[in-house]
Amino acid sequence: MEIKTVSDDIPLSPPMFEDPDAAIERKSRPDAIDALKSAVARVKGLIEAGRQPGMPLSVLSNIAREAPLGSLCLAFLLGIAVGRRSR
């Protein structure tokens, strides 16, 4: 009978088998990265378009710049209203 000892050493070689799902995930990862990059580019373009003079983001940033405390109060009250509605 052979006696085996237990050691804390970690084997340096990878396992001899591969998870089939891992191969699928590796192949689809570049597609997901490309989709994420295109989504970020679209959102960035929309934000830039919204910051043009007269557009909603421009108006909101001007209001917040002129009355920061009032804007904070309005955002707080809006958050409370939305929070209570979702309950």
Side-chain angles (χ1 to χ4, degrees):
M1 181 194 299
E2 182 181 333
I3 299 175
K4 295 183 180 181
T5 59
V6 177
S7 73
D8 292 333
D9 294 337
I10 298 172
L12 297 177
S13 63
M16 297 304 290
F17 60 90
E18 185 176 333
D19 184 18
D21 294 332
I24 293 171
E25 289 176 15
R26 265 190 263 123
K27 289 180 183 176
S28 65
R29 192 173 297 156
D31 294 335
I33 291 172
D34 291 339
L36 182 62
K37 285 181 181 179
S38 68
V40 167
R42 278 185 275 147
V43 169
K44 193 174 185 180
L46 290 172
I47 290 173
E48 290 300 321
R51 287 187 179 185
Q52 299 298 321
M55 297 299 285
L57 288 179
S58 174
V59 172
L60 283 174
S61 67
N62 288 338
I63 291 172
R65 197 176 299 120
E66 292 173 9
L69 190 57
S71 299
L72 180 63
C73 181
L74 181 65
F76 179 73
L77 292 175
L78 183 64
I80 289 175
V82 169
R84 289 188 181 258
R85 179 179 277 180
S86 64
R87 280 176 138 196

